[in-house]
Amino acid sequence: MFCLFVDLILLKLIKRNFLLLFIGFYLSSCIDPVTPEFKILEDLILINGIASSIEGASYVTVNESVVDYGTYKTKFLPGCIVKIINNDRVIDLIETYDAYFVPKDFKVSEGETWELKVQLPDGTEYRSSPETIQEKVDVSSINSDYDLELYFDESLSRYVPGHRILISFQEPGDKENFYYYQYKSYERIVNCLTCYNGVLRNGECISTSGYRWARPYYTYLCDSPCWRIRFNEKVELFSDLFTNGKMINNLIVGEVPLYTKQDILIDVQQYSISEEAYKYYKILKDLLENNSGLNAPLPSPLIGNLYNPNDRDENVLGRFTVASGSSKSIFIPRSQLDGRFIEDSERSQWEGYGDPHVPMPLGPDDYPIYVSCDEGLYRTNFKPENWPIIIGKSENK
């Protein structure tokens, strides 16, 4: 499920003023400093999607870039008509609050050819070139390795602890293979909403300004067991150029920082992708990491496989990828780990019954307030496969 991840990368590139395939690169003399001029781009449409052989994993994101108080963001674009097409077979995707999903039981099969069609609310249409699914390569084992100095985080000005995720698999020797790696992590959460400087009333957070003894925030319980979902933040790729037909042991495919000390389930997907898709994500990786040195060649244009059939001159950001996937998961207890976690954990602060220090104190019929664990990219109320049954704690079925 790497379409969400690509949107995050494209946003980072926009923040760094790469401006993707529209930017021109010019080199001046090494001794003559030049002040760069940057153009702020808004209303860019970013479309990313995957048709996967993993059941229920296919989906599409349609986002647009915005500048909010000087900060670049991507915003989900609702109201689109999104379809994936295989000859006469058409699958209509279902809109949620943050993406367009296939039916839960849908998956593609090896050898099938699919393409994407997206119609925006204003009628603009985008399509992808057809892509054929590759042969799946199964992951044989998965392991983790904890490191107190996993990487240096510049924003925190310190090393961050966390786990490296390693997999092993037998690489087929009959042809060239290209792989893309995605992980999703799952952590149980208790609260599904926090209202800062406010309380929840009629589905909205209303201000508590003017209420002297109101707390800075109030938390609201999930109405069912709920898991937070996170995705990897780096592009992880592998090519069998030098390992064709060999056993691949302990290949690092992800870094999971110690966000919190909640137990975590890591589900790794190994996607077999086309060479064209590999080249696209390799350019994306080079642009994002930007670590090739001063004498490195300039990055290639980031060109996906999307186009406007009514305007072939329009450049469309993103890509639709068809991939066969193999997944493997590992459960990691983290409560006893050494190291300083990243996120400052918020203590639960629930409203009291009839609290007079907030607007519209809760009566007996309103207390307590529960919030829905809405299904989406970042949250699920379905217990993840391979999540352990913890004795003494209730788990949903």
Side-chain angles (χ1 to χ4, degrees):
M1 300 175 77
F2 41 79
C3 42
L4 162 73
F5 179 48
V6 173
D7 284 337
L8 296 176
I9 294 173
L10 293 178
L11 177 58
K12 288 183 179 181
L13 295 179
I14 293 172
K15 286 180 178 179
R16 295 184 184 187
N17 295 292
F18 278 112
L19 305 188
L20 308 169
L21 53 87
F22 305 116
I23 194 168
F25 292 92
Y26 296 97
L27 296 179
S28 61
S29 169
C30 294
I31 61 173
D32 296 327
V34 176
T35 302
E37 295 183 3
F38 298 119
K39 178 183 178 183
I40 296 177
L41 296 183
E42 294 187 80
D43 302 321
L44 292 176
I45 300 297
L46 297 85
I47 300 173
N48 286 289
I50 178 173
S52 170
S53 65
I54 299 176
E55 189 172 287
S58 306
Y59 72 105
V60 174
T61 59
V62 184
N63 291 333
E64 58 182 341
S65 66
V66 297
V67 178
D68 186 11
Y69 296 103
T71 301
Y72 286 101
K73 297 180 179 179
T74 58
K75 181 177 67 174
F76 174 64
L77 184 61
C80 299
I81 300 174
V82 182
K83 304 174 185 288
I84 54 176
I85 303 167
N86 167 238
N87 296 323
D88 294 331
R89 186 183 178 193
V90 178
I91 304 298
D92 294 302
L93 274 67
I94 304 163
E95 180 181 327
T96 67
Y97 70 95
D98 56 5
Y100 297 88
F101 283 87
V102 298
K104 284 286 185 183
D105 58 350
F106 174 81
K107 62 180 180 179
V108 300
S109 300
E110 291 179 13
E112 292 180 343
T113 299
W114 291 83
E115 58 184 290
L116 173 69
K117 179 180 178 181
V118 175
Q119 182 177 311
L120 304 186
D122 65 4
T124 304
E125 182 178 309
Y126 297 109
R127 288 179 175 268
S128 75
S129 55
E131 190 159 279
T132 301
I133 192 167
Q134 307 294 307
E135 183 179 353
K136 181 180 70 170
V137 178
D138 289 320
V139 176
S140 57
S141 65
I142 184 170
N143 294 288
S144 66
D145 177 39
Y146 187 62
D147 189 342
L148 285 169
E149 296 184 350
L150 184 65
Y151 61 83
F152 187 81
D153 189 306
E154 293 182 359
S155 64
L156 298 175
S157 299
R158 65 177 175 89
Y159 281 97
V160 170
H163 289 87
R164 291 185 183 89
I165 306 300
L166 309 95
I167 63 168
S168 299
F169 63 96
Q170 176 62 53
E171 219 288 313
D174 55 343
K175 64 173 184 177
E176 288 184 304
N177 292 282
F178 304 92
Y179 304 95
Y180 185 104
Y181 295 95
Q182 175 85 65
Y183 78 67
K184 294 172 63 180
S185 68
Y186 298 88
E187 301 160 85
R188 278 293 300 266
I189 58 174
V190 174
N191 300 309
C192 277
L193 180 68
T194 300
C195 285
Y196 297 97
N197 299 312
V199 291
L200 183 63
R201 297 293 183 267
N202 300 318
E204 296 182 358
C205 293
I206 64 171
S207 174
T208 53
S209 61
Y211 288 80
R212 181 178 179 184
W213 303 110
R215 295 178 177 181
Y217 66 89
Y218 291 89
T219 55
Y220 297 90
L221 293 165
C222 302
D223 64 357
S224 64
C226 193
W227 284 262
R228 172 169 45 196
I229 300 173
R230 305 182 199 259
F231 297 82
N232 49 309
E233 297 181 358
K234 292 183 178 180
V235 181
E236 300 292 350
L237 300 166
F238 182 69
S239 165
D240 68 354
L241 179 61
F242 302 108
T243 58
N244 194 18
K246 296 182 179 180
M247 183 68 191
I248 309 301
N249 292 305
N250 295 323
L251 175 68
I252 298 174
V253 295
E255 294 180 337
V256 185
L258 191 66
Y259 297 110
T260 71
K261 291 199 174 182
Q262 294 282 343
D263 295 344
I264 192 169
L265 177 74
I266 308 295
D267 184 54
V268 172
Q269 294 94 38
Q270 175 174 268
Y271 285 112
S272 297
I273 59 176
S274 66
E275 184 176 4
E276 292 75 19
Y278 176 85
K279 290 177 178 177
Y280 174 85
Y281 293 113
K282 181 64 169 64
I283 294 169
L284 206 57
K285 180 180 178 71
D286 291 342
L287 285 172
L288 179 65
E289 296 181 0
N290 193 28
N291 58 2
S292 300
L294 293 174
N295 296 321
L298 296 175
S300 302
L302 184 61
I303 301 174
N305 62 350
L306 301 171
Y307 64 93
N308 182 337
N310 300 309
D311 183 3
R312 290 290 185 148
D313 293 329
E314 180 181 355
N315 293 302
V316 186
L317 304 182
R319 193 180 201 283
F320 176 65
T321 299
V322 177
S324 58
S326 170
S327 64
K328 209 80 169 176
S329 61
I330 182 170
F331 182 77
I332 305 175
R334 298 192 300 178
S335 61
Q336 302 302 315
L337 292 176
D338 293 331
R340 181 182 171 190
F341 51 85
I342 294 177
E343 296 182 352
D344 293 327
S345 55
E346 269 187 355
R347 184 171 59 90
S348 294
Q349 291 193 145
W350 301 303
E351 281 192 66
Y353 167 67
D355 185 349
H357 303 120
V358 298
M360 304 166 60
L362 297 176
D365 296 332
D366 304 314
Y367 180 83
I369 297 178
Y370 289 95
V371 175
S372 174
C373 176
D374 293 329
E375 189 74 13
L377 290 173
Y378 305 101
R379 188 178 289 177
T380 182
N381 56 13
F382 292 95
K383 186 172 76 171
E385 188 177 357
N386 299 321
W387 184 271
I389 298 176
I390 303 173
I391 298 175
K393 294 184 179 182
S394 61
E395 299 282 344
N396 67 328
K397 297 181 179 180

